[in-house]
Amino acid sequence: MEIPEIPNLIHYAIPFFAITLLIEVIVDAREKSNSYETKDAITSIAMGLGNVFLGLFSKILVFAAFIFIYNNFRLFTIPFTWWAWVLILFAEDFSYYWMHRISHTNRFFWASHIIHHSSQRYNLSTALRQSWTGGFMTFVFWLWLPLLGFHPVMILAQMSISLIYQYWIHTERIKKMPHWFEAIFNTPSHHRVHHATNPQYLDRNHAGIFIIWDRLFKTHEPEAEKPIYGLVKNISTFNPLYVAFHEWINLFKDVVHSKTSLKNRFNYLIKPPGWRHDGKGIVSNDLRKEWEKNKQK
């Protein structure tokens, strides 16, 4: 089977990211809408550059894992045809949904994903605030694709397409897309909800390209009240190193230094963010239930 050469799409998209980001900054300054803060934007850009650099190494690991499974264990051989690209579009997005959802409900994966939610602003620079560690471990959610028979080149290409798609939804400039589009695709409105800390918005709208997964698995929440962005407990620094590793440090401390059983130490890795072995922690579901209780009063 002849394998087409697939370029690194993320690298090709960087000039587009830079131009559109500059345009939004200019518009924001003229309209004085205050969606940008200089230190915050610089931190987001720094996180994005770090992600691209470390991605040079993580992609080697990911590609090697995909190739190993594809060459030794694949169930079928899916050709490079139009219908295969349609299938990989949905299959990859399905994988992304579950990776993203679990990254909010499992602290081990949250330790890398928290970076993307650490900004209290919501603009195109926020899209660039990416993890420095996630690429080395989240690929496990895509391992079933080479096992099924998709070539690693197809998988990595579609993963890049998904990330490029998600860039434009990080903006407050677009309020709503047409109703049919909002029903099928992830949009700025859907993703603003995902980045919000309002109790009813927590752990909702995990979509990559298609919002249909959230609708299907009951994690969809429409945008109603104005989103409040950031973390439930925000960090008070713009230091990229702290942003990148602070939750890993906190997780390590909880696992190693907590005076509790070995089982509870392990639970810090797999339980949702906010969980505490002494029962004093508060997780997203607790906050949402409290909101629903108050709403009914």
Side-chain angles (χ1 to χ4, degrees), residues 142-186:
W142 282 265
L143 290 178
W144 70 283
L145 295 177
L147 177 64
L148 193 61
F150 288 104
H151 194 278
V153 168
M154 295 184 72
I155 302 169
L156 290 176
Q158 186 55 47
M159 291 172 75
S160 295
I161 291 170
S162 176
L163 287 176
I164 293 171
Y165 176 90
Q166 292 176 62
Y167 170 75
W168 75 279
I169 62 179
H170 291 82
T171 184
E172 293 185 302
R173 292 286 158 189
I174 301 173
K175 301 307 178 185
K176 287 281 188 178
M177 298 296 289
H179 181 73
W180 68 268
F181 197 94
E182 295 278 348
I184 300 172
F185 296 100
N186 198 8

Side-chain angles (χ1 to χ4, degrees), residues 21-294:
L21 177 57
L22 179 61
I23 292 173
E24 189 178 57
V25 168
I26 293 172
V27 172
D28 179 74
R30 287 183 175 179
E31 297 184 359
K32 298 180 180 180
S33 56
N34 200 35
S35 65
Y36 276 86
E37 198 278 328
T38 303
K39 290 182 179 180
D40 179 83
I42 291 174
T43 299
S44 293
I45 293 170
M47 300 307 298
L49 292 174
N51 174 267
V52 170
F53 174 74
L54 291 170
L56 299 175
F57 301 96
S58 65
K59 282 183 173 59
I60 295 174
L61 169 66
V62 174
F63 189 73
F66 287 173
I67 281 289
F68 177 76
I69 293 176
Y70 181 82
N71 286 341
N72 296 282
F73 302 105
R74 71 178 183 269
L75 302 176
F76 308 98
T77 299
I78 300 175
F80 284 81
T81 59
W82 68 268
W83 56 262
W85 286 103
V86 174
L87 287 180
I88 194 66
L89 168 64
F90 286 94
E92 189 282 331
D93 202 58
F94 181 75
S95 299
Y96 180 89
Y97 169 83
W98 283 107
M99 179 281 296
H100 200 180
R101 180 172 175 173
I102 291 174
S103 293
H104 279 256
T105 57
N106 178 292
R107 194 175 172 197
F108 177 77
F109 287 104
W110 173 247
S112 64
H113 186 60
I114 191 175
I115 285 83
H116 187 58
H117 287 265
S118 60
S119 175
Q120 297 178 55
R121 308 281 176 159
Y122 193 77
N123 50 56
L124 292 177
S125 75
T126 308
L128 306 180
R129 187 177 287 226
Q130 296 291 330
S131 168
W132 289 0
T133 56
F136 293 95
M137 56 191 188
T138 55
F139 70 91
V140 297
F141 291 92
W142 282 265
L143 290 178
W144 70 283
L145 295 177
L147 177 64
L148 193 61
F150 288 104
H151 194 278
V153 168
M154 295 184 72
I155 302 169
L156 290 176
Q158 186 55 47
M159 291 172 75
S160 295
I161 291 170
S162 176
L163 287 176
I164 293 171
Y165 176 90
Q166 292 176 62
Y167 170 75
W168 75 279
I169 62 179
H170 291 82
T171 184
E172 293 185 302
R173 292 286 158 189
I174 301 173
K175 301 307 178 185
K176 287 281 188 178
M177 298 296 289
H179 181 73
W180 68 268
F181 197 94
E182 295 278 348
I184 300 172
F185 296 100
N186 198 8
T187 67
S189 178
H190 293 317
H191 205 58
R192 284 193 292 267
V193 166
H194 180 72
H195 273 259
T197 60
N198 313 50
Q200 71 271 34
Y201 292 161
L202 292 173
D203 298 344
R204 291 295 186 270
N205 297 3
H206 303 290
I209 295 176
F210 297 108
I211 199 66
I212 56 176
W213 310 122
D214 286 287
R215 297 185 186 279
L216 180 63
F217 296 111
K218 310 299 182 185
T219 54
H220 176 254
E221 186 74 29
E223 184 180 26
E225 67 179 46
K226 181 176 175 58
I228 300 171
Y229 306 113
L231 303 170
V232 173
K233 292 183 179 179
N234 286 306
I235 56 178
S236 56
T237 179
F238 297 107
N239 185 325
L241 288 175
Y242 185 87
V243 173
F245 299 112
H246 75 280
E247 184 61 12
W248 284 115
I249 295 171
N250 292 335
L251 177 58
F252 177 81
K253 289 179 179 178
D254 285 334
V255 171
V256 174
H257 298 297
S258 293
K259 296 180 180 180
T260 185
S261 66
L262 183 62
K263 177 182 177 181
N264 277 336
R265 291 170 187 262
F266 180 72
N267 279 338
Y268 276 109
L269 296 172
I270 63 174
K271 291 288 187 178
W275 179 87
R276 304 295 305 177
H277 72 273
D278 56 9
K280 296 180 180 179
I282 300 176
V283 301
S284 295
N285 281 342
D286 297 330
L287 296 171
R288 184 178 178 87
K289 288 177 181 178
E290 184 66 22
W291 172 79
E292 290 174 343
K293 181 179 178 181
N294 293 333

